[in-house]
Structure formats: C-alpha cells, structure tokens
Amino acid sequence: MLMAGQAPARPVVVTVGNAVRWRGETYLVTALQGGSVHLLSQDADGEDAVVLLDSLSRSLGFAVLDTPRPDDTITDVPAVAVRQSLGGAAVLEGLSDKAREMAEFWLDHVLEVHTGLPGFATPSTEPRPCYDLERTTLRQRYETKAAELCAAHHRVSAATVERKRLAWLAHGVWGLVDKRRVRGPSTHGRVDERVVKLLWKVHQRHRKRSVGTRSRLFELLRRACVRKFKKKGEQLMPSRATFYRLLDRLGILCGRETGRQGTGSHRPEPPFTLAMATTPGEQVQIDTTPLDVLGVDETGRVVSLELTAAIDVVSRSILAAVIRPKSIGTKAGSHSRRRGGRATKAVDALLLLAEMCTPQPMRPHWSPRAGAKGSNLPYAQLVEADERMEGAAARPVIIPEMIVMDNGKVFAGRAFMDACAQLGICVRPACYNSPTHKAIIERTFGSIKTLFSQFLPGYTGKDLQHRGKDVAGERLWRVDQINDFLQQWIAVGWQQRPHEELRNPFLPSMPPRTPNQMFAAHVASSGYVPVRLSAEDRLRLLPTAWVTVTDKGIRLDNRTYDSRAISPYRNARSGWPGKGQRWPVRYHPYQPEKVWLEDHRNGTWAEADFVYQRLIGDEWSEHIWDQATAAHLNKGGSTRDEAAIARVVCSLLERAGRGPSRTAAPQPAPVDRGMVVGPQPIEDPYRNIPAPDYQHITSLPSMDVDLRQLCLPPARFPRPEGLSQPGADGQPDGARGPQAGI
C-alpha cells in the first residue's frame, strides 16, 4: 500500500487495484510510479489519466471506493509489509549503472504481471490477452512472464517472478535491487565476529605495555582463542596474512606504524577548525618539543635538548626560539630530595616574550645572507621606525596580540601569565590532549627536525628504532653553539624559504611566498609599531620569589645574597597584604650571580650579589650549581656549605673548559645566559695584555752617582765604585760569576 499524503481530515491509503472516485467519475488504480498514479476510467466515454498522488488525495470529492479483487489480493505478505514509500525510484540514483538497469528491467515486468500493463505503457494501451486481469489469474501471469523471460535468454522461474513482485509490494523499487551489488565490504571480512571482539579485548588489555610488533599480538590472540573457544579456537583463528589485513581495517597500529603510544586517543573528533588570522601577531602559537639532538652542557656532559619556540600564524615566522638541555635529576635540599630532570623552565617562556619584542642582532661569524638589509624585509622602513633594526638579522619583530599555548607548567605558571598581562597579551590555553589546536607550531617542529636537526652530529631520530648505535660517541656541539646555529638557520633557512601555505588567494598560480615576504606584505597594510623594553621591564619579566631579608642577607635556592643596597629592608615589613616581612625578589636562573629586590613604595630596585661569587669568578648557571651540589653531597657535604659548593662549581667550569686535551690551559665553559639584565660589565682595558713574568726579571744595581755628573760628556763620565766594565757578551763582569773567565 502507498501512503497518499495528508488529507485535510485523515491520511488516505491507496494501492494498485483500488477503485477511486475523482472529479465525479470512477477510476481504477492501475500503476504507481514515483509520485504519479495511473488511473483507468471505468466509464464508457471516460478518459484515462495520470495525476500526482498528492494532488489526487487533496482534490475535492476524492474517495477510495473498494479494495482490490480477491484474485489479486496478497495473502502471503502481511498488510503492514505491503506498504511502499513515495519516491522509491530515487534510491536508484546512488546505484551503479548495472544495478539501476536491472532494477528498471524488473520494474516493467512486475508492473505488467500486477496491473496487466508495463511501466512504459500509455494510459490508453490495452493489456495483452495473456495479462488481462479479467481473463487470467495471478499464477498464470507468473508462469507466462517466466516463459517470456526464458525465451529472451533470461533463466527465470515463476517462483522468481513471484518473489520479485512480493518484494516490490513490500519495499517498492528498492525491493527489486540486487543487494549483492550494493553490499559494502565488511570491516572484519570473513573473520568470525567473536574473534574480532576478542581481539579488541586483548588490544585494550595490553595498551599500557610497550608497543610491540604484529606477530606478538597475533600470538596473544591465538592463545586467547584457545582458552576462550576450547577445541574450536584453532579453527576460528584466521591466518597470519588475514590477521594483518584485519589490523589494517580495524586501525590497530603496531611497531613502527605508531609514532607515540596513545597518540590516536588525543585526536579530536572532526570536523577541524583551521587557525584563522588576518594580521601579524593576531595569533601566535607557542609550545615545547624534544629537538632529537644530543649536545654538551656547561659541565661537559652529554645531554638531550629541548626546543621552545613561538610562531606567527599569518606569516609563519618563527618569532623566537630557545634551546635548553635536559639532564637527570640531582639531589638537593636539606632532606636530600630528588629533583626532576632539568629542561625548559618558566624563565625560558619569559625569554621568548623578550625576544619577540627585540630584534635579533647579527653576529660577526654569521653569513651575510642572514642580515635583514639584503632580505625581503622592508629594511629602510623598519629602520626608520625602529633604529634597533639596523644591523639586525632577517627575522621580523612581531608583538603578539593572542598566544595559544598548551597546559604545561612552563606556560600555565603565574610568571608567564603576569608577563603577558604586563605586555597586554591575551592568553588562550588549548584543550587538553588536542594537538590540533596548535597544529601550526606542531607542524613547524616537524619541519625543524627534518630541515635542521637531522643534519647535526648527535641526531637521535624520533625514536629508538631510528637511533644510531653510537650517537653519543660523535663529536658533539655545545648547547650554546647549537643555539647559535639555530638562530642563524631561522634567519636564512626558514624566514627566506618559500612556504607552501603562504600563497596569494587572488593569484593561486603564483609561487609560494617566504615568511619575510608575507610579513612585508602585511606591514604595508597594517603598519609596524615597535615596543622597547627598558631595564625595569626586563626585570619585571623575571620570576619572582617572596623571601625575607635577614641580617645575613637574602637566602634563595641554598645561596646567600647580600649588599649594602638591601640594608634598609632587613627584618622590615614589605607592606604587601598578607606577606609580612617577605619582599618580592626577581632572579634569573641563567644569571644567578645577582638578584633584584623590588620596592613598590617608591618604584626602586635594590641589587644583591652572591656572597661567594669571588670563588667562582666566571659566569655560571643554576644547572652547574645543582651539579656541584650533587657532587658535594656525594662526598658527605652539606647544602649549607656554600663556599665548598662554589669551589666545586669553579672546578666544573675549569674541567668543562679544558675539554678532551689535558694539557691545554683551563678556560671557563661558555654559558647560554639568554636575556641580559642589570647593568653591563665594564670591559677590562688590560684584557689582551699578557701578565709579566716576575720570576725572570733581573734586578738592576744601584748607581750612587751625583745627578750633576750625569750631564757631563761621556769621556769625563767616571765609573762608579762596584760597577764593573761590560764584557764581550754585553753583560757586566760581576754578572758572569766567579767562573766566567774559565
């Protein structure tokens, strides 16, 4: 039966064979095709018609008079299953040509068996005698149609014709479609569903273990099948090749196919939203990643490296990058608690902010191509707006308006948030376990590892399977040298390299632009406003520690700082609500020789020096102090013995500066100290003059001569007593010794 739409009073249902009244005449429903109804007039002078079913049901005076005749009534199909849906032919649009042709072929023949007329017949066509509904029964028409199709080389029986007609009445045109032609491939193929469910259980049970190969998972599944299905386990278990194909279909990755365990679970649900920005600095993404390179730290040890970088979404420019070493934890503190491995700290994120606001200066040993003067940057206009750009590297200065960061402790700390608020930067944290929220910086990290890291000695690869056998034995660069290489590569190899994502949307056929070219195009439209950080601004970007100033000075990280400038603050209340006698002290982990106390009452800063800095003499960092503290504790020392730890720091610097050669003079190891704070040291004028050798300087004899005699001519110059005549070698006789004449 076919639902005829909604009538004003109640829905009307008609089927093929119904007698209906329309426009005052009686008609017989002979066919239903799509949304049209074929009506056969029952009056002698009436005309047949083809009308839309919706118009037929809504016309005035329309009514269903009776049901189909008994010989055509379907007795083997339930009444509910006889319903068809309007527009059933529309399902043929998504089928293949062969499936559509077969469905249309059977539709014409089924209509002829059911109504006496094929689907392509005109309303005035008379049915053939063998299909006349008045003279033949339904069974006879089945047999006649089967005989015709067999004569046309279609091996069809009467039962097949009957099955096709019943399927058409039950499901419409879709019932005539060969389901074998529309059947999609199964996810698990011919593997038993019980085995597939058991495979998922085994995989979930071993997710937290180290990622193994496919053969291990195959063996685990085979054992589970034997335990689960007893004797039938070996028969239900698929072959090894079928099992591997099943893993591909189910998306289960093993071995080298996985970059990191659990990565797939961090992928958010699609669709994904692209990071959109229209001006430089509108969105800046910042993140940290391992650099896949080994280096030598300040103490001469081999360490892994970690990279923290910021990239502008519009121009794809790397605004700043910091490399820091990672090392094993060290024991520190009075209770010998173990610290975690050293990597990127909160101050490194603050250094990124400072570097974004400051042009990168050119270094003497860099390539001339790294300079901004000969690059695609608008050098003349930038120098006119900001004199700091003169002689700078080919890296743009972009002040971020919004920073997209992850939820790590480095960026989610109070120091980073306060620094961003001070600079007027909006911070938007990304969702947990959603790398696609920072897709651009994540992809940039991959490019840095491919274009930069793998060309350095000590490249470890992305995992242990890609790591060489003797990476740590190579001649490694120091951390400060690798950082210098990276800064030069950013100016030459990244900022001046065409980027596939930087294309002109109005001229897509043009080649891709470089980040510097894209920055120049945006600067021409949006302008450039420099931001200069004063010495006080740089101090406010440093981390803050709230400490009490005692008679001995400031105690910070097992070190004591003191000076006359902090004398007014000893044992005094700070005036901060809830802080009591604790004052805000700014410190720099990479320049721990000094700390700065902030007096908010008058906006001044008091500087204090490390009391044992004279024992070290050279530049050092907290990392070296931690290593020296651990070495001192291993010998039974105490963390309170600052002088002994300072001597160990000095010895570590000398050993690292000495390098492989034990005969070379010890030189202090260079330390990457990042942003310089406080007053600059005065250069020593005697720096390049060698020190005199006092052991090989001979003393001069005293001359007891009247000063007036020194002005006499040489002939009248008398020889003083005790001074002998010079010999042939130009030395005094007395200087040769008693055996000079032998």
Side-chain angles (χ1 to χ4, degrees):
M1 291 184 294
L2 186 66
M3 186 67 69
Q6 297 288 339
R10 60 179 182 177
V12 180
V13 178
V14 296
T15 60
V16 176
N18 279 135
V20 298
R21 179 174 297 280
W22 180 55
R23 294 183 178 179
E25 298 182 4
T26 303
Y27 293 90
L28 178 65
V29 180
T30 59
L32 299 171
Q33 187 173 9
S36 303
V37 181
H38 294 251
L39 301 177
L40 179 63
S41 178
Q42 301 297 309
D43 298 338
D45 54 351
E47 296 183 357
D48 300 337
V50 179
V51 298
L52 294 176
L53 182 58
D54 187 64
S55 300
L56 178 66
S57 61
R58 293 179 181 274
S59 60
L60 297 177
F62 170 77
V64 179
L65 300 180
D66 57 1
T67 58
R69 290 183 295 272
D71 57 337
D72 288 339
T73 303
I74 304 171
T75 58
D76 52 350
V77 179
V80 178
V82 180
R83 295 180 178 270
Q84 303 181 37
S85 60
L86 282 176
V91 299
L92 303 180
E93 299 297 332
L95 302 178
S96 61
D97 296 339
K98 187 66 176 178
R100 190 185 308 110
E101 292 176 2
M102 291 300 298
E104 294 174 351
F105 168 80
W106 276 109
L107 180 61
D108 293 334
H109 293 290
V110 167
L111 288 176
E112 189 173 12
V113 171
H114 188 74
T115 64
L117 295 175
F120 54 82
T122 59
S124 60
T125 304
E126 293 290 335
R128 291 186 291 173
C130 57
Y131 292 101
D132 191 355
L133 303 181
E134 300 291 341
R135 303 177 183 178
T136 60
T137 62
L138 186 59
R139 181 60 57 185
Q140 291 175 346
R141 295 196 294 273
Y142 285 154
E143 296 176 353
T144 303
K145 180 58 67 177
E148 287 183 0
L149 294 176
C150 290
H153 305 287
H154 296 283
R155 301 185 61 179
V156 176
S157 63
T160 302
V161 177
E162 181 182 10
R163 179 171 54 83
K164 290 290 184 180
R165 174 179 174 272
L166 295 178
W168 172 74
L169 291 174
H171 305 288
V173 183
W174 181 250
L176 302 176
V177 178
D178 188 356
K179 303 304 185 296
R180 294 174 298 179
R181 299 185 180 275
V182 298
R183 184 182 304 162
S186 175
T187 305
H188 50 80
R190 297 184 179 180
V191 182
D192 194 285
E193 293 185 2
R194 295 175 294 177
V195 178
V196 176
K197 294 180 180 179
L198 186 60
L199 172 61
W200 280 114
K201 292 182 180 179
V202 174
H203 177 63
Q204 294 294 335
R205 190 182 306 122
H206 294 82
R207 282 184 66 89
K208 295 184 179 180
R209 293 183 55 185
S210 299
V211 178
T213 59
R214 293 182 170 190
S215 59
R216 188 186 74 173
L217 189 57
F218 177 82
E219 182 64 22
L220 293 175
L221 179 62
R222 188 190 64 81
R223 297 176 184 176
C225 285
V226 173
R227 293 193 301 267
K228 181 75 173 179
F229 306 113
K230 305 293 182 175
K231 299 180 180 179
K232 296 182 180 180
E234 295 293 345
Q235 290 78 12
L236 295 177
M237 186 66 188
S239 63
R240 189 176 294 270
T242 304
F243 174 76
Y244 290 165
R245 290 193 295 268
L246 177 63
L247 293 182
D248 295 335
R249 292 177 178 176
L250 297 178
I252 299 177
L253 305 180
C254 300
R256 297 188 179 185
E257 300 172 355
T258 59
R260 183 181 301 174
Q261 184 176 4
T263 302
S265 61
H266 295 172
R267 182 180 179 89
E269 294 293 335
F272 307 122
T273 302
L274 299 178
M276 301 298 295
T278 56
T279 58
E282 182 177 348
Q283 183 178 144
V284 174
Q285 297 182 4
I286 182 174
D287 200 1
T288 301
T289 185
L291 196 57
D292 298 343
V293 174
L294 297 179
V296 180
D297 65 355
E298 301 95 329
T299 61
R301 300 184 180 183
V302 178
V303 293
S304 301
L305 303 180
E306 199 171 67
L307 171 65
T308 303
I311 186 170
D312 179 49
V313 173
V314 169
S315 62
R316 297 298 197 273
S317 298
I318 299 180
L319 306 182
V322 175
I323 295 179
R324 294 303 176 202
K326 296 189 297 183
S327 62
I328 59 175
T330 57
K331 292 182 179 180
S334 58
H335 300 287
S336 299
R337 60 183 179 87
R338 180 169 295 275
R339 293 183 178 180
R342 172 180 178 266
T344 304
K345 296 184 178 181
V347 69
D348 298 319
L350 304 178
L351 293 179
L352 286 182
L353 295 178
E355 287 191 11
M356 293 180 200
C357 305
T358 307
Q360 177 71 41
M362 280 286 293
R363 302 183 184 182
H365 57 276
W366 281 10
S367 171
R369 296 179 53 235
K373 188 174 183 179
S375 65
N376 294 319
L377 293 176
Y379 181 73
Q381 292 80 2
L382 292 178
V383 172
E384 183 179 358
D386 188 0
E387 63 276 4
R388 299 176 302 170
M389 288 297 299
E390 185 173 0
R395 193 195 71 182
V397 178
I398 299 177
I399 310 302
E401 299 178 7
M402 180 180 65
I403 291 180
V404 179
M405 64 174 190
D406 59 7
N407 294 273
K409 295 181 179 179
V410 175
F411 307 108
R414 181 65 179 271
F416 182 77
M417 294 294 183
D418 292 345
C420 291
Q422 176 185 346
L423 296 175
I425 301 173
C426 175
V427 179
R428 187 182 72 181
C431 295
Y432 287 95
N433 298 332
S434 298
T436 54
H437 286 196
K438 311 183 306 298
I440 296 178
I441 186 64
E442 298 288 352
R443 184 62 185 90
T444 303
F445 283 153
S447 300
I448 293 176
K449 296 175 183 179
T450 304
L451 302 175
F452 174 76
S453 298
Q454 67 174 347
F455 296 101
L456 292 175
Y459 176 65
T460 59
K462 61 182 180 179
D463 51 27
L464 293 177
Q465 296 180 351
H466 294 81
R467 181 168 178 168
K469 295 182 179 180
D470 192 18
V471 177
E474 300 179 2
R475 296 182 62 88
L476 305 177
W477 297 102
R478 298 193 307 267
V479 178
D480 62 301
Q481 293 174 327
I482 297 177
N483 184 67
D484 182 79
F485 296 154
L486 177 64
Q487 303 303 331
Q488 184 177 185
W489 175 83
I490 291 175
V492 179
W494 180 264
Q495 292 297 132
Q496 304 185 43
R497 182 176 183 270
H499 198 289
E500 290 296 331
E501 296 295 330
L502 301 179
R503 292 182 179 273
N504 191 335
F506 303 102
L507 298 173
S509 60
M510 292 183 61
R513 305 286 91 186
T514 65
N516 282 348
Q517 290 175 342
M518 186 62 63
F519 172 77
H522 281 281
V523 165
S525 59
S526 58
Y528 171 74
V529 178
V531 175
R532 295 175 175 84
L533 296 179
S534 62
E536 294 184 357
D537 294 335
R538 292 177 179 270
L539 288 176
R540 289 190 176 92
L541 290 179
L542 296 178
T544 305
W546 292 86
V547 297
T548 301
V549 183
T550 63
D551 295 335
K552 295 182 178 180
I554 298 174
R555 183 74 176 177
L556 182 64
D557 290 342
N558 294 325
R559 295 186 299 271
T560 303
Y561 297 85
D562 197 3
S563 67
R564 292 185 177 180
I566 64 174
S567 297
Y569 310 102
R570 302 180 191 271
N571 301 319
R573 299 184 64 85
S574 62
W576 289 88
K579 297 299 183 180
Q581 295 182 352
R582 290 180 296 171
W583 293 84
V585 174
R586 310 283 178 164
Y587 64 95
H588 199 311
Y590 305 114
Q591 300 178 26
E593 302 94 347
K594 300 176 182 294
V595 294
W596 296 266
L597 184 146
E598 180 183 5
D599 189 352
H600 67 283
R601 297 172 298 186
N602 50 20
T604 58
W605 297 83
E607 184 179 292
D609 301 325
F610 178 47
V611 294
Y612 294 105
Q613 177 63 27
R614 66 184 185 280
L615 298 179
I616 302 176
D618 299 317
E619 298 176 348
W620 51 286
S621 65
E622 278 193 352
H623 173 57
I624 303 178
W625 181 268
D626 293 340
Q627 297 293 334
T629 303
H632 182 65
L633 292 178
N634 291 334
K635 296 180 181 180
S638 172
T639 56
R640 291 287 181 178
D641 194 355
E642 301 178 39
I645 299 177
R647 295 188 183 95
V648 177
V649 170
C650 183
S651 63
L652 289 177
L653 291 176
E654 292 179 356
R655 185 184 64 182
R658 191 178 300 115
S661 177
R662 299 296 181 182
T663 60
Q667 298 292 335
V671 180
D672 186 7
R673 300 165 65 81
M675 177 179 60
V676 180
V677 295
Q680 299 296 327
I682 302 175
E683 185 177 358
D684 185 9
Y686 305 100
R687 181 176 181 180
N688 298 324
I689 300 177
D693 189 359
Y694 296 100
Q695 298 180 358
H696 296 80
I697 297 178
T698 59
S699 60
L700 296 176
S702 62
M703 293 190 303
D704 233 359
V705 181
D706 189 4
L707 295 178
R708 292 176 297 181
Q709 296 181 1
L710 295 177
C711 301
L712 297 177
R716 299 175 57 185
F717 186 80
R719 183 177 63 179
E721 296 181 1
L723 183 62
S724 59
Q725 293 288 343
D729 55 355
Q731 295 184 358
D733 293 341
R736 302 187 208 178
Q739 300 183 3
I742 299 178

